Amino acid sequence: MPAKTEEITLTLGGLHCAACVARVERALSAAPGVELALVNLATRQAKVRYQPQATNLEALSAVVKEAGYEVEDATREQRPPREPEAEVREFRHRFLVALILSLPVWACMIPPVEHGLGLSHRAMNFILLALSTPVMFYSGASFFTGAWSAARHRTTNMDTLVALGTSAAYCYSAWVTLFPATIAAAGHAPAVYFDTALMIITFILLGRWLEARTRGRASEAIRRLFALAPPSARVRRDGVELEVPLEQVLVGDLVLVRPGEKIPVDGVVVEGSSAVDESMLTGESLPVAKEPEAKVWGATLNQRGFFVFRATRVGQDMVLSQIIRLVEEAQTSKAPIERLVDQVASIFVPVVMGLAALTFLAWFFWGPAPAVTRALVSMVAVLIIACPCAMGLATPTAVMVGAGRGAELGILMRGGEPLERAYRLTTVVFDKTGTLTRGTPQVTDLQAWEGWSADQILALAAALEAKSEHPLAEAVTHAAAVKHLILPQVDDFQALPGLGVEAKVTGQEVLLGNLAFMTQRQIPTATLSAPQQEHAREGKTAIFLAVAGKPVGLIAAADTLKPGAAQAVKALQEMGLKILLLSGDNRLTVAAVARSVGIDEVLAEVLPGDKARKVAELQEAGEVVAMVGDGINDAPALAAADVGIALGTGADVAVEAADLTLIRDDLALIPAAIHLSRQMMRIIRQNLFWAFCYNVVALPVAAGVFYPLWGWTLNPALAAAAMAMSSVSVVTNSLRLRRFKA
């Protein structure tokens, strides 16, 4: 018999990057009794499945603490992640303090400004030291604590680079300020590099602030999913109606739902009938008729009727809870692009530290006098040339400029995370309803027989549908209203769920419904089957109108294509991408839409959990997948895809779960968004190349490798200038994205 397991969610403190996530996951996975550990950087949560007889919360907390992090909260219930408002505020405040104090430092380093103040060189250095110290030890405190924590656990990360670079520049400059004679004795001008240290801290803090804001928006998707369910439910227990909190609803409870209310939990209808908007689950725009024995799902919207259902799944067993779990798991599996820098930094930092130490020793034992001073200056030059300013700017500047240009075009990007995947996309999967189609049915065909006109057919049908709960009622009444038709008086109206409606108009019996309804009422249907099948092949829903026992007309409605849908699909295909259509709608309708836009491969009648699995299957086959959708039902697939693309006109949760969001309902933005993402990734890779190129070229010069041959050394001032040049080149290269055209 397998051992019993439990699952707990830990809210963690101190996570900064993908390396932190990997470190915590490794530590928890290696702990006794832990079967699975998944850490989500966006929500700062770790989901741990463990055997309670082998470990407990205290032991898990100790493992996390030993890895260098903290457990701030723990729960066994499914609940939304906390908003990172405090973290965003802290980074913003530290960045603003750094910026305000850095501006005068940067200004004072300009020779005309320095000379214009009329202060001695040493007095100016003391002013710069006073302005730089709060930036180092207040604004930059998190970098030093992060570096110290990494060092305690025998590893390095981005904080190590920042701490090394800034402390080298700051400590050398402070030494020059306090003891300038020792530097002059080495034959070097007593220059200071406070601006270098402050520039690194200020720009990296800006990146951390933007990163925190991005993570907050990422976790907003899950918070919006939780907000879909109503806070309470009306249940009938022992013949008494009670309103209870949602978490107190039990399996087997009879739940009452009035018109306009959300269904609280999953269940089966036992009394009454209605039409339910299930678009958040299936993506289907038409409301679904519900009568006894029909299934209903929590968070869907009851439209008109009143009904009672028996609860079958509550809490974490609900379909909505399963969707939330899918989104959480998909977000956890995403690796941020900053991992590339962290991986390189983990190798680069120890190498630079070793080179700096060897440089000091070489100059100390074999360099000309004064050996100690020359050794110190050369070592500082090596550390300064390795300052990670350009590395820190490589990704955020490209993302900021590219995201700004994207916003001008109507494309919103969720930071730098999807860029690497968009660079390698091979497949684009489209949702149908609300994405390629408008999302609301419209009357597409009117046919009249027996001497009737199309307007007469539409007016009579609209008169009946005005009192109907039929899924196509709104489309028919809207079409009549657009034509300003006068509707006749309707008497003795009666709705028959699943079939249609009947009434009397000017004393004549009028029927409006599907082919089965006409057959049941013995209306001649010999001429109706052919148009019924033709419209079905085209993805349209047909209803028939009969007066006094004779069929007199047909009305067909469908969810029509958005303008530019076929052109957008063609543009993606020309980019070398494979296109698929994935929908929860019926197969005939989906196939008809696919033919009209030029898509060959179709996956129809797919529910939300299966959508995410279909995306996973494509990924397992080696495809790099983008998912395009707009509904709540698309959220798991959007999150599971390598790149999720949501239409801003769709459900908020779909927008929040996506990597790219299109502000305008313009499908031409989809190929433009992918092209912009690819261009941004190219810029980032170029930035990283040039950032490291400066280090590779200048490090040997700074170490004094060429001193025995040609007497070349690298003054720390030139080292700082080289790093400034690398930063300028990175920013200038990123600014090219401002000229991007869709």
Side-chain angles (χ1 to χ4, degrees):
M1 182 176 179
K4 179 183 177 182
T5 62
E6 293 183 3
E7 190 171 291
I8 192 169
T9 300
L10 309 177
T11 301
L12 307 179
L15 292 183
H16 293 303
C17 61
C20 301
V21 171
R23 193 173 301 127
V24 175
E25 284 187 348
R26 283 197 302 269
L28 286 171
S29 299
V34 174
E35 295 187 355
L36 177 67
L38 294 174
V39 180
N40 189 326
L41 183 61
T43 61
R44 293 292 198 271
Q45 290 181 337
K47 290 190 177 298
V48 185
R49 187 186 306 150
Y50 66 98
Q51 299 173 5
Q53 65 272 21
T55 188
N56 53 35
L57 175 59
E58 290 73 20
L60 295 174
S61 299
V63 169
V64 172
K65 187 172 183 179
E66 179 62 27
Y69 305 92
E70 297 292 334
V71 174
E72 298 176 350
D73 189 23
T75 179
R76 288 179 172 82
E77 299 176 357
Q78 193 178 46
R79 64 187 185 190
R82 295 182 298 183
E83 298 185 26
E85 292 181 357
E87 186 181 14
V88 172
R89 282 196 305 269
E90 180 181 357
F91 276 125
R92 182 178 65 234
H93 185 262
R94 291 180 184 272
F95 163 70
L96 291 175
V97 170
L99 181 64
I100 292 170
L101 293 177
S102 296
L103 288 175
V105 173
W106 297 338
C108 290
M109 299 301 290
I110 302 174
V113 175
E114 183 180 1
H115 297 323
L117 293 175
L119 297 175
S120 68
H121 188 70
R122 191 174 189 192
M124 180 63 69
N125 287 350
F126 273 104
I127 293 174
L128 298 179
L129 175 62
L131 291 171
S132 302
T133 301
V135 177
M136 286 290 297
F137 299 107
Y138 171 71
S139 296
S142 62
F143 302 126
F144 293 100
T145 55
W148 172 245
S149 176
R152 285 174 51 222
H153 295 88
R154 298 182 181 89
T155 186
T156 58
N157 56 19
M158 194 68 179
D159 287 338
T160 308
L161 285 172
V162 176
L164 277 175
T166 55
S167 60
Y170 174 83
C171 293
Y172 175 78
S173 300
W175 181 273
V176 169
T177 300
L178 298 173
F179 311 104
T182 58
I183 303 301
H188 296 284
V192 294
Y193 310 105
F194 292 114
D195 58 330
T196 301
L198 269 57
M199 181 172 62
I200 294 170
I201 288 177
T202 302
F203 280 108
I204 301 298
L205 279 175
L206 174 61
R208 289 281 175 90
W209 174 32
L210 297 175
E211 178 190 354
R213 292 178 59 188
T214 300
R215 286 198 308 268
R217 290 194 295 270
S219 59
E220 183 65 21
I222 299 176
R223 285 193 289 271
R224 288 182 183 273
L225 279 171
F226 275 97
L228 286 173
S232 61
R234 191 177 294 104
V235 301
R236 183 188 296 164
R237 293 174 179 170
D238 299 326
V240 179
E241 293 186 10
L242 305 170
E243 186 162 345
V244 300
L246 186 63
E247 57 270 18
Q248 294 182 15
V249 178
L250 305 175
V251 173
D253 274 341
L254 295 177
V255 184
L256 291 70
V257 185
R258 297 174 180 173
E261 292 183 341
K262 284 187 176 181
I263 297 172
V265 296
D266 299 353
V268 177
V269 177
V270 295
E271 298 178 23
S273 62
S274 183
V276 176
D277 180 0
E278 295 181 346
S279 58
M280 61 78 60
L281 180 64
T282 65
E284 175 53 51
S285 56
L286 297 177
V288 180
K290 298 294 181 182
E291 52 191 21
E293 302 303 321
K295 293 181 179 180
V296 292
W297 289 275
T300 56
L301 180 64
N302 179 34
Q303 290 198 327
R304 300 183 182 180
F306 170 85
F307 65 91
V308 180
F309 73 92
R310 188 179 307 279
T312 57
R313 288 187 292 187
V314 301
Q316 296 190 22
D317 295 327
M318 292 170 52
V319 170
L320 176 62
S321 299
Q322 294 170 11
I323 292 176
I324 292 173
R325 192 153 44 245
L326 285 170
V327 173
E328 290 176 334
E329 291 174 359
Q331 284 188 340
T332 301
S333 68
K334 290 187 176 181
I337 196 171
E338 285 78 8
R339 176 173 298 190
L340 175 63
V341 176
D342 282 327
Q343 288 174 342
V344 175
S346 65
I347 302 171
F348 184 69
V349 176
V351 170
V352 170
M353 292 174 63
L355 286 175
L358 289 174
T359 298
F360 182 87
L361 293 174
W363 280 95
F364 181 79
F365 287 110
W366 297 294
V372 174
T373 304
R374 287 184 180 274
L376 179 62
V377 170
S378 298
M379 183 185 71
V380 170
V382 170
L383 290 173
I384 289 179
I385 202 65
C387 288
C389 186
M391 281 189 284
L393 290 171
T395 297
T397 53
V399 172
M400 288 172 63
V401 177
R405 179 57 182 152
E408 293 174 358
L409 298 173
I411 303 165
L412 295 181
M413 297 190 174
R414 190 177 299 283
E417 296 186 3
L419 298 181
E420 187 174 12
R421 295 180 292 274
Y423 188 75
R424 298 179 289 106
L425 277 180
T426 60
T427 302
V428 178
V429 178
F430 277 94
D431 173 55
K432 178 184 75 68
T433 306
T435 303
L436 289 176
T437 65
R438 296 180 184 274
T440 54
Q442 295 180 331
V443 172
T444 58
D445 298 88
L446 284 169
Q447 294 179 0
W449 311 303
E450 301 290 334
W452 287 65
S453 69
D455 283 354
Q456 288 176 314
I457 295 295
L458 182 59
L460 187 54
L464 270 67
E465 294 285 39
K467 295 185 176 183
S468 170
E469 298 177 2
H470 190 278
L472 291 179
E474 188 174 344
V476 174
T477 55
H478 176 72
V482 169
K483 291 190 172 186
H484 304 289
L485 300 180
I486 298 175
L487 308 186
Q489 179 67 36
V490 173
D491 299 312
D492 299 334
F493 174 86
Q494 184 179 0
L496 292 91
L499 295 172
V501 296
E502 63 178 336
K504 287 187 177 180
V505 179
T506 62
Q508 290 184 308
E509 184 183 46
V510 180
L511 306 177
L512 179 68
N514 56 27
L515 189 61
F517 187 31
M518 299 295 113
T519 303
Q520 184 189 84
R521 291 304 181 91
Q522 299 181 348
I523 304 297
T525 59
T527 59
L528 305 184
S529 298
Q532 160 82 13
Q533 293 174 2
E534 179 182 353
H535 288 305
R537 283 194 299 270
E538 295 175 354
K540 301 174 182 178
T541 301
I543 53 176
F544 300 93
L545 185 70
V547 178
K550 294 182 179 181
V552 297
L554 172 151
I555 300 174
D559 189 4
T560 57
L561 287 175
K562 289 181 179 178
Q567 291 86 341
V569 170
K570 183 179 179 182
L572 292 169
Q573 290 170 337
E574 290 175 349
M575 295 170 67
L577 298 169
K578 183 169 70 175
I579 312 299
L580 288 82
L581 184 58
L582 180 66
S583 177
D585 208 346
N586 71 76
R587 191 169 300 279
L588 285 176
T589 302
V590 178
V593 171
R595 286 194 302 271
S596 62
V597 296
I599 297 177
D600 297 326
E601 192 166 347
V602 171
L603 298 171
E605 300 175 4
V606 182
L607 290 176
D610 294 325
K611 283 187 176 183
R613 281 193 288 273
K614 291 294 183 184
V615 170
E617 288 174 6
L618 290 169
Q619 291 169 327
E620 290 172 1
E623 303 288 344
V624 182
V625 182
M627 173 72 194
V628 185
D630 80 314
I632 292 169
N633 64 296
D634 301 321
L638 287 169
D642 297 287
V643 179
I645 304 175
L647 303 182
T649 54
D652 287 346
V653 69
V655 172
E656 295 297 340
D659 299 305
L660 305 178
T661 300
L662 310 183
I663 299 174
R664 301 193 308 273
D665 193 7
D666 182 0
L667 294 175
L669 291 177
I670 297 172
I674 294 175
H675 183 46
L676 177 58
S677 297
R678 289 179 172 181
Q679 184 63 19
M680 289 172 66
M681 188 60 204
R682 291 191 191 101
I683 293 292
I684 289 172
R685 292 191 173 193
Q686 292 168 6
N687 287 348
L688 290 173
F689 170 79
W690 286 111
F692 287 113
C693 183
Y694 276 100
N695 294 127
V696 171
V697 171
L699 267 174
V701 181
V705 171
F706 303 109
Y707 181 79
L709 297 175
W710 300 293
W712 291 358
T713 59
L714 185 62
N715 189 289
L718 294 178
M723 290 311 299
M725 282 290 293
S726 66
S727 300
V728 169
S729 66
V730 163
V731 174
T732 303
N733 193 42
S734 298
L735 289 175
R736 293 195 298 122
L737 288 166
R738 296 175 62 179
R739 299 192 297 271
F740 175 84
K741 293 183 180 180

